[in-house]
Amino acid sequence: MTEPERLSPPPFWRTRYFAFDVLPRRPDLDPLEIKRIVARPEARIVQPDGRIRLYGYSETLRCFLRVVLLSDGVTVHNAFPDEQYTS
């Protein structure tokens, strides 16, 4: 699988999809919280396709966020509230 093109920081490495599709649809996502979750996730799961799911609690949204990284482990591809996740 070919990984999508990525954009450099600030605030962090991210795909074009995240920058131009996800963030405009989810203006309540806080890039600082995403950076914190990437740096210190509460849980980390590697998907069969190699992408990495990170989970962390969002104080501003009052729920857990799932942050999906590309297989490189640093590029954010998606982030969204995951109300089914429990720590």
Side-chain angles (χ1 to χ4, degrees), residues 24-71:
R25 284 186 286 121
R26 298 191 175 110
D28 52 340
L29 290 176
D30 182 350
L32 293 177
E33 285 188 320
I34 293 171
K35 272 181 88 165
R36 179 185 51 78
I37 292 167
V38 169
R40 289 183 303 283
E42 293 187 32
R44 182 181 190 275
I45 299 170
V46 179
Q47 299 178 172
D49 65 2
R51 291 184 179 173
I52 302 161
R53 292 182 191 172
L54 305 176
Y55 295 90
Y57 190 76
S58 166
E59 292 293 334
T60 57
L61 297 176
R62 296 183 180 188
C63 66
F64 280 90
L65 286 182
R66 181 191 304 183
V67 178
V68 180
L69 304 179
L70 297 182
S71 59

Side-chain angles (χ1 to χ4, degrees), residues 3-24 31 34-35 38 67-70 72-79:
E3 296 288 11
E5 177 185 354
R6 65 185 196 153
L7 305 173
S8 62
F12 41 74
W13 288 99
R14 66 226 180 272
T15 61
R16 287 188 159 287
Y17 171 74
F18 182 78
F20 298 113
D21 290 336
V22 174
L23 282 180
I34 293 171
K35 272 181 88 165
V38 169
V67 178
V68 180
L69 304 179
L70 297 182
D72 65 10
V74 296
T75 306
V76 175
H77 180 63
N78 204 349

